[in-house]
Amino acid sequence: MSILVFIDAADGHVKKSSFEALTYGAQLAKQLGTSAEAVLLGTVSDDVAALGKYGVTKIHQVSSDTLAHVDAQVYAKAIADVATANAASVIVLSHNLTGKAVAPRLSARLKAGLVAGAVGLPDTSNGFVVKKGVFSSKAFAFISVNTPVKILSISPNSFQTIAGEGTAEVVAANITVETPKVKVTSTNMVTGEVPLSEADIVVSGGRGLKGPENWGMVEELAKLLGAATACSRPVADEHWRPHHEHVGQTGGSIAPNLYIAIGISGAIQHLAGVNRSKVIVVINKDPEAPFFKAADYGIVGDAFEIVPKMIQEVKKLKGVA
Ligand SMILES: Cc1cc2nc3c(=O)[nH]c(=O)nc-3n(C[C@H](O)[C@H](O)[C@H](O)COP(=O)(O)OP(=O)(O)OC[C@H]3O[C@@H](n4cnc5c(N)ncnc54)[C@H](O)[C@@H]3O)c2cc1C
């Protein structure tokens, strides 16, 4: 049984979530007494061999201009071909936007059982049983995968990245890349901001902020902390903030190390998108706000008094005026 990890990259760089997937693959290989290899589609400016520090021994690289844009069908075929050529029996991906689009297609191609959003290493003592969150992570399901090839997409921030020493052997994968059926005619990138899905810290605002004119303090705090900004759904619905910032059941699902929620009630639909954050700080003037139940730290008070004070304190800590 051998493990193949998909290395996700964008804009010439390997995504942080891939380090977690590589570590997961390496740990699983150790558990199964085998080795972990990886597949990289396209080219990156990062040192590919150095990814061996996460425990993979070999990286199969498919260098083709066709792979510069993510096309889930083309990616699924390329990963399937590399997996088949190398007799991989477990394929590991990140459960991010690319992974969510590619994993089911890969599963259909390889007739492989898929666990989407795994949160721990499989129990292999009697079969292959994988834990995943269900009902917006309010409960866990244990899925037994019985197919010869198994696919796991790993929930972000659910597995600790371990970087050691060592490099991986990088080899060119000898496969034919399909021509995409979808043609990308233009790309409109959001620039100058920390991407929400990759952010370590997120500062988020809700309807308690009263209107778009009050977002200056949210943006200032986010900038000082090197954080991305997010918002609750009504805030995006009312066009106070762009829709790509909306998190929750019907918006983005994030798992930063720190989530600061300002003037957000903490409705279950909002929590569904943020409850995997490592540390949650809630600022709300209502001590009964449901968000306090999910908070690691809570500040009961008026955001218009508290956030400017936080900004001053962060500035002092950073030594900026
Ligand atoms: C099917 C469905 C899907 C949904 N999907 C989502 C989703 O993906 N994401 C999402 O966010 N919501 C979603 N919702 C909406 C969700 O149910 C809530 O209505 C929404 O999250 C509330 O947003 P809010 O907390 O910003 O606003 P409110 O509920 O109005 O809460 C505002 C909060 O701010 C506090 N506040 C007011 N003034 C201040 C102040 N000066 N200082 C500090 N605190 C203050 C209040 O005490 C209150 O707790 C969905 C709803 C449905 C039915």
Side-chain angles (χ1 to χ4, degrees):
M1 190 177 268
S2 73
I3 317 291
L4 184 74
V5 182
F6 167 61
I7 300 172
D8 193 10
D11 305 324
H13 297 288
V14 173
K15 289 189 193 167
K16 199 184 72 182
S17 54
S18 292
F19 306 151
E20 201 178 0
L22 287 164
T23 308
Y24 184 100
Q27 296 289 311
L28 178 56
K30 211 171 178 186
Q31 182 177 318
L32 296 171
T34 182
S35 61
E37 301 186 0
V39 53
L40 172 65
L41 304 182
T43 51
V44 291
S45 47
D46 300 335
D47 181 355
V48 177
L51 295 172
K53 70 181 174 199
Y54 298 107
V56 289
T57 51
K58 194 189 261 190
I59 296 173
H60 305 268
Q61 185 165 16
V62 187
S63 307
S64 160
D65 290 346
T66 312
L67 299 163
H69 295 285
V70 177
D71 180 304
Q73 289 182 3
V74 175
Y75 269 44
K77 164 130 186 351
I79 299 168
D81 287 354
V82 173
T84 307
N86 293 282
S89 47
V90 183
I91 304 172
V92 178
L93 305 91
S94 304
H95 193 58
N96 57 9
L97 282 179
T98 311
K100 284 178 193 173
V102 171
R105 290 176 166 89
L106 197 52
S107 161
R109 270 190 180 274
L110 296 174
K111 301 201 178 353
L114 161 67
V115 179
V119 294
L121 285 169
D123 177 354
T124 51
S125 57
N126 184 17
F128 194 96
V129 179
V130 190
K131 183 179 174 183
K132 67 167 276 180
V134 289
F135 303 117
S136 301
S137 296
K138 289 240 163 266
F140 293 111
F142 293 85
I143 314 280
S144 176
V145 192
N146 303 316
T147 47
V149 179
K150 300 158 180 47
I151 300 173
L152 310 177
S153 62
I154 312 305
S155 211
N157 253 346
S158 63
F159 200 75
Q160 170 123 37
T161 297
I162 305 168
E165 301 283 316
T167 52
E169 180 194 356
V170 182
V171 295
N174 191 16
I175 59 156
T176 309
V177 177
E178 223 179 31
T179 307
K181 293 189 181 78
V182 175
K183 191 174 160 203
V184 178
T185 51
S186 71
T187 309
N188 196 356
M189 298 284 284
V190 177
T191 53
E193 293 172 24
V194 181
L196 189 51
S197 58
E198 291 281 301
D200 258 348
I201 306 177
V202 174
V203 182
S204 188
R207 207 151 42 180
L209 288 176
K210 320 286 185 223
E213 66 281 4
N214 295 323
W215 243 263
M217 63 182 186
V218 176
E219 285 173 339
E220 189 176 1
L221 182 60
K223 197 166 178 205
L224 280 165
L225 295 172
T229 48
C231 67
S232 65
R233 174 170 155 173
V235 163
D237 284 347
E238 299 203 25
H239 305 294
W240 295 359
R241 298 297 292 175
H243 258 294
H244 66 80
E245 286 195 359
H246 151 207
V247 288
Q249 185 184 313
T250 46
S253 179
I254 55 172
N257 284 322
L258 175 61
Y259 184 71
I260 303 176
I262 307 168
I264 304 176
S265 57
I268 188 155
Q269 296 89 355
H270 184 84
L271 289 175
V274 303
N275 59 7
R276 285 180 298 106
S277 307
K278 280 232 168 86
V279 175
I280 296 179
V281 176
V282 170
I283 303 165
N284 198 303
K285 69 175 186 184
D286 175 9
E288 302 296 322
F291 221 149
F292 284 120
K293 290 204 181 90
D296 296 283
Y297 299 93
I299 305 172
V300 179
D302 188 339
F304 296 98
E305 288 171 22
I306 289 160
V307 177
K309 283 186 186 154
M310 285 174 88
I311 291 171
Q312 286 315 315
E313 290 307 312
V314 177
K315 278 186 174 167
K316 267 193 225 160
L317 281 171
K318 296 203 151 209
V320 288

